[in-house]
Amino acid sequence: MSDRSKKRENTTVDGVRAIELMYRAIRRTDNDVLAFYRTNMRMNSPSMGTMMPDRYQMVLDSTERCISVFKLAMIQMIQASEKFSERGIDFSWCSIYMPLMLLRKNDCQKTVSEIISGYSIFPENICFELPFSLLNEEDGCCAESIKNMRKRGFHFMLPGVGGDGFPLMKLADFELDYVLLDNSLTDMLGVSERSDLCIKSIISFISELDAEPVADGVLSSAQTEKLYDLDCSFYTGDYAGKYMLERFIRKKSES
């Protein structure tokens, strides 16, 4: 059995995938063209059924098992990315959730490099989505790991930015490539000139940190137009498309 077949086999338990990734488009606000894919992982448990991240992530991230699950998820994401490319879908990267327990390890970069070896994927085709709790890290370990992996070409993204009580200044402690804005900011679009000014200030601050803001929870073309006017180049949410399993994703002309 080839190494790749072994990797594919290891993502299943009793013939059923223990984890399944679903993919949602991140699009450009100026023309709605696909730019990236964001993933969401569901876990299939014989005893607990299908679980989404809000049910398992916090508990999982507190144990070493989060690293083995990450490895399985990353293999699945890479295999899906290869299939997307074979189908002629043009996108820059696909995201995958990375637990802080792995990011803090000295061999994090080695672990990731070993996973992608043998696949036709490059570091710049991968974006690691980090948990909000990254902002609680103060010893510099995670910041240094992000810095070193970015030098290899990997991207990093933090979600939930800009909501009530968000410590915006903490973003300056980490060299992120993309920042996923909290849904509440999208909800405030166009409510008043003052709300738009506040959103514009957050977007400008993120851009000054050399990161790209990505609006989340977008529902309409009117919102994408407003985001474009506020210098936010990317968006996701229902208007960008729903989360879908890899097997259902095709080029737009074929769907």
Side-chain angles (χ1 to χ4, degrees):
M1 183 183 293
S2 68
D3 289 341
R4 183 171 294 193
S5 295
K6 289 179 181 177
K7 289 177 179 177
R8 184 177 293 111
E9 182 182 76
N10 287 340
T11 64
T12 64
V13 177
D14 296 331
V16 177
R17 284 200 159 182
I19 63 170
E20 286 187 301
L21 294 182
M22 304 181 75
Y23 303 81
R24 169 180 268 177
I26 295 176
R27 301 184 182 276
R28 300 184 182 279
T29 56
D30 59 343
N31 56 15
D32 294 327
V33 168
L34 171 68
F36 323 113
Y37 278 113
R38 186 190 185 198
T39 62
N40 193 20
M41 184 176 74
R42 65 187 187 189
M43 299 189 72
N44 298 315
S45 166
S47 60
M48 301 182 69
T50 298
M51 297 182 293
M52 301 307 288
D54 60 344
R55 287 188 60 195
Y56 68 76
Q57 200 72 71
M58 186 177 295
V59 174
L60 180 64
D61 281 4
S62 67
T63 71
E64 287 281 343
R65 186 168 177 251
C66 70
I67 297 177
S68 60
V69 170
F70 164 81
K71 292 177 180 178
L72 292 179
M74 189 162 175
I75 289 168
Q76 195 175 132
M77 180 273 288
I78 293 171
Q79 292 171 348
S81 293
E82 290 184 337
K83 290 177 181 178
F84 295 157
S85 295
E86 290 169 1
R87 294 168 191 165
I89 300 173
D90 187 17
F91 65 103
S92 295
W93 52 251
C94 191
S95 77
I96 191 72
Y97 176 84
M98 175 183 280
L100 294 188
M101 186 177 291
L102 174 59
L103 186 64
R104 293 182 61 85
K105 289 185 176 295
N106 292 331
D107 63 350
C108 177
Q109 184 167 303
K110 179 182 177 183
T111 297
V112 170
S113 296
E114 288 176 349
I115 294 172
I116 68 175
S117 64
Y119 287 102
S120 56
I121 193 168
F122 300 98
E124 54 266 31
N125 302 135
I126 299 171
C127 181
F128 295 112
E129 182 170 330
L130 302 174
F132 186 84
S133 55
L134 171 72
L135 300 179
N136 298 327
E137 299 290 316
E138 296 182 348
D139 61 5
C141 179
C142 288
E144 186 66 18
S145 187
I146 291 171
K147 182 178 180 180
N148 291 334
M149 293 185 70
R150 288 183 73 242
K151 289 179 180 177
R152 283 284 314 279
F154 295 107
H155 305 292
F156 286 86
M157 177 169 68
L158 184 70
V161 173
D164 288 344
F166 183 89
L168 202 60
M169 295 303 295
K170 290 284 291 183
L171 288 177
D173 294 339
F174 305 95
E175 297 182 16
L176 301 168
D177 299 280
Y178 298 89
V179 169
L180 194 65
L181 302 178
D182 190 78
N183 285 21
S184 62
L185 296 182
T186 301
D187 294 340
M188 293 293 291
L189 282 171
V191 171
S192 66
E193 290 185 9
R194 186 170 183 177
S195 65
D196 285 350
L197 180 60
C198 290
I199 296 169
K200 171 69 172 178
S201 297
I202 293 172
I203 290 172
S204 297
F205 177 73
I206 292 169
S207 298
E208 287 171 4
L209 294 177
D210 293 326
E212 283 281 359
V214 181
D216 196 6
V218 174
L219 301 174
S220 68
S221 60
Q223 289 178 325
T224 64
E225 291 169 6
K226 174 65 73 173
L227 287 165
Y228 178 74
D229 291 340
L230 297 177
D231 295 326
C232 180
S233 299
F234 302 101
Y235 76 93
T236 189
D238 287 353
Y239 188 66
K242 62 183 180 180
Y243 278 106
M244 300 174 67
L245 295 170
E246 165 270 314
R247 61 179 175 271
F248 297 122
I249 296 176
R250 296 289 189 274
K251 285 185 69 173
K252 196 168 184 179
S253 60
E254 299 174 1
S255 59

